[in-house]
Amino acid sequence: MSTVRRPDHHRSAPHGGHRAAPAGRPAAHAAGLRHVLAHLVTPLLMCIGMGLAYLGAFAHPAPHHLPVAVVGSSRGAQLLAQSLNDTSGGDLEVRTVPDRPTAVEQLKHQDIFGAYVMHAKAHAQAQPQEGAQGGTPKGTQGPAQGRIPEGTQGRTQGPVAPELLVATAGSDTSASVVQKIFTPLAAQQGAPLKVTDVAPPAEDDPTGQGIFFLLVAISIGSYASVAVIGGAGAVLPLRLRAALAIGTSAVVSLIGTAFAGPVFHLVDHGLWGLWGMAWLYSAGVLLIGTGLHTFLKRWTTLGVMALFVMLNFTSSGGIFRPEMQNGFFAALHSFWNGAGFVEGLRSHVYFHGYGLSGHVWTLVGWLLVGVLMVGLAGLAERRRRAAEAEAAANAAAVAAAAVAATVPEPRPRRLVRAAAPGTGSSDEATKEELTEEEMAEEEMAEEELEEVVGV
């Protein structure tokens, strides 16, 4: 019979084990799948945010009230400016300026982004250098003999090419758009358009967009450090995390300055000013991110990416200026920190510091927002610690009360025993035994209380 039962036993044991395993694995797989799906929410939201931001800002660039000028005070210049305003449908804001130097000054102040200098057929008139009252100059033959009088100027000139003034250091894309607008006008005058760049970018940055990519590098170094300081440094006090943020911003700004100067030669002067603006920008990003981590926790990366990538890069003006974007990103350009860095650096390097103070104050404002955010985080963490300490104290009191309620009272038994009649040494022995028993019970109760409170 044992030979019959053994196979049944061996069959039933593996069968029972096989039946238990599938019951556990699907539950474990379901829990793991829920965990993965919960963490996939963040990259999917990043994908949606980046698509909306970048495509919304860069997919259909078109001028919106782009300021340009027609040089001249003649009626022809005024008619041309009015005609351009009427036909542009709000894409352009065309004004007239009296002369070329005024147009150059407005370009360097970025009040306009193109100036069209009209030229019709120029004919200089001959002006004699010497001779009396309408006579032929001495020592020359008259024009009737077919020679141009000596000492006269004024050869008849052909059509002079119209000139377009641009400042590509301010925005290469805006300069290209302005050139496309005015090239057909030059063709109508029968001459090629002459383009003059009054503020060219650095030789090693021909498009002037190196500043934008410098912004990208500094931003990534800054907001990626936020995740490290907030995650790995979560056990540190907030003041130490803030100090780490300040120190990290100094290192990131030095790296950015090295890229812009000796490594890639994006700028050829003003490196100290560049470093100062890079530090202001990076410190603002790091302090804001460090403060936000107290409130957002695992969503901090998504939060700083929304602030300093999705909305920041697209509104900075590094690729398209606000005049080439829709109203939302154009409005952000007026106060966002990336725009303050890009426009401040352009002003510092290419436009002789015009408007620089406003852009620096923008960066200082964001730095102050970071300081305020760290202060709010400090208050929140202090309240959180106080609430946790109060909860722990309440739990300890409840546990102590529960333990005290379960421990029997030893005193009544000792009193009964003590009141019982006895003689001599036997009574003393009974009292000693009861005392030892009471002590053991008290020790056990204390140990149990300590274990409960510890948990």
Side-chain angles (χ1 to χ4, degrees):
M1 295 179 64
S2 61
T3 57
V4 176
R5 288 179 181 174
R6 258 178 217 156
D8 293 339
H9 176 70
H10 286 299
R11 277 198 305 268
S12 62
H15 182 66
H18 179 68
R19 193 178 289 169
R25 285 186 191 138
H29 291 169
L33 184 60
R34 286 194 300 268
H35 182 73
V36 172
L37 292 176
H39 282 77
L40 278 176
V41 172
T42 299
L44 292 177
L45 289 176
M46 289 180 183
C47 177
I48 294 172
M50 294 289 282
L52 290 174
Y54 273 76
L55 295 177
F58 299 149
H60 301 287
H64 298 281
H65 304 286
L66 181 67
V68 295
V70 174
V71 179
S73 56
S74 65
R75 181 170 177 78
Q78 294 175 356
L79 288 175
L80 177 59
Q82 185 62 43
S83 174
L84 289 172
N85 276 323
D86 293 340
T87 58
S88 67
D91 294 341
L92 303 177
E93 285 186 0
V94 187
R95 66 188 73 171
T96 58
V97 295
D99 50 34
R100 191 178 187 278
T102 303
V104 171
E105 182 181 5
Q106 291 192 12
L107 281 167
K108 291 186 176 181
H109 291 174
Q110 294 186 288
D111 295 329
I112 59 174
F113 295 94
Y116 184 71
V117 184
M118 291 194 311
H119 286 292
K121 294 182 178 180
H123 297 276
Q125 296 181 352
Q127 297 180 355
Q129 290 183 344
E130 61 178 336
Q133 295 182 359
T136 302
K138 186 179 180 180
T140 64
Q141 295 180 347
Q145 295 177 323
R147 295 183 58 183
I148 299 176
E150 183 181 349
T152 63
Q153 299 175 351
R155 295 175 182 174
T156 301
Q157 299 179 355
V160 179
E163 184 181 17
L164 178 64
L165 305 177
V166 295
T168 55
S171 174
D172 181 70
T173 53
S174 296
S176 299
V177 169
V178 170
Q179 186 173 348
K180 290 180 180 179
I181 292 171
F182 285 103
T183 297
L185 294 179
Q188 292 176 6
Q189 295 187 4
L193 181 65
K194 176 186 176 182
V195 180
T196 302
D197 193 349
V198 301
E203 183 179 354
D204 291 323
D205 184 22
T207 64
Q209 295 179 1
I211 292 175
F212 170 75
F213 295 107
L214 177 64
L215 169 72
V216 173
I218 295 175
S219 299
I220 292 175
S222 300
Y223 80 74
S225 299
V226 168
V228 176
I229 294 173
V235 296
L236 299 176
L238 184 61
R239 63 179 182 274
L240 289 183
R241 281 180 276 155
L244 281 173
I246 296 295
T248 304
S249 66
V251 176
V252 170
S253 60
L254 286 173
I255 293 173
T257 304
F259 284 155
V263 178
F264 293 106
H265 307 286
L266 302 179
V267 299
D268 52 9
H269 65 279
L271 287 180
W272 281 111
L274 186 154
W275 174 80
M277 283 184 281
W279 178 81
L280 284 173
Y281 173 79
S282 179
V285 172
L286 274 156
L287 288 178
I288 290 173
T290 301
L292 283 177
H293 190 272
T294 299
F295 304 99
L296 300 182
K297 298 299 182 183
R298 59 175 289 226
W299 301 102
T300 303
T301 300
L302 180 62
V304 295
M305 282 196 68
L307 288 174
F308 305 120
V309 177
M310 300 174 191
L311 300 178
N312 191 26
F313 295 168
T314 51
S315 64
S316 66
I319 302 297
F320 296 111
R321 282 191 55 84
E323 295 83 7
M324 298 293 297
Q325 295 182 306
N326 58 44
F328 175 74
F329 293 101
L332 291 181
H333 181 84
S334 61
F335 64 92
W336 218 255
N337 58 344
F341 177 77
V342 169
E343 298 296 350
L345 193 53
R346 283 172 174 169
S347 174
H348 173 62
V349 176
Y350 298 123
F351 297 105
H352 308 292
Y354 182 80
L356 176 61
S357 60
H359 302 308
V360 171
W361 277 114
T362 297
L363 297 175
V364 171
W366 279 81
L367 178 62
L368 294 177
V369 171
V371 173
L372 177 62
M373 186 61 64
V374 170
L376 293 175
L379 292 176
E381 290 186 4
R382 188 178 306 169
R383 292 178 180 177
R384 188 178 300 169
R385 287 194 299 268
E388 290 175 354
E390 184 179 358
N394 293 336
V398 170
V403 171
T406 58
V407 174
E409 291 290 341
R411 289 189 179 274
R413 187 172 61 182
R414 186 178 61 182
L415 291 174
V416 171
R417 296 283 182 92
T423 57
S425 60
S426 62
D427 290 342
E428 295 295 332
T430 303
K431 289 179 182 179
E432 290 179 0
E433 291 177 0
L434 291 175
T435 303
E436 291 176 358
E437 185 178 0
E438 289 171 5
M439 293 176 61
E441 290 178 354
E442 289 179 358
E443 289 178 358
M444 291 177 62
E446 290 178 357
E447 290 178 0
E448 185 177 356
L449 177 62
E450 289 176 357
E451 291 178 358
V452 173
V453 173
V455 173

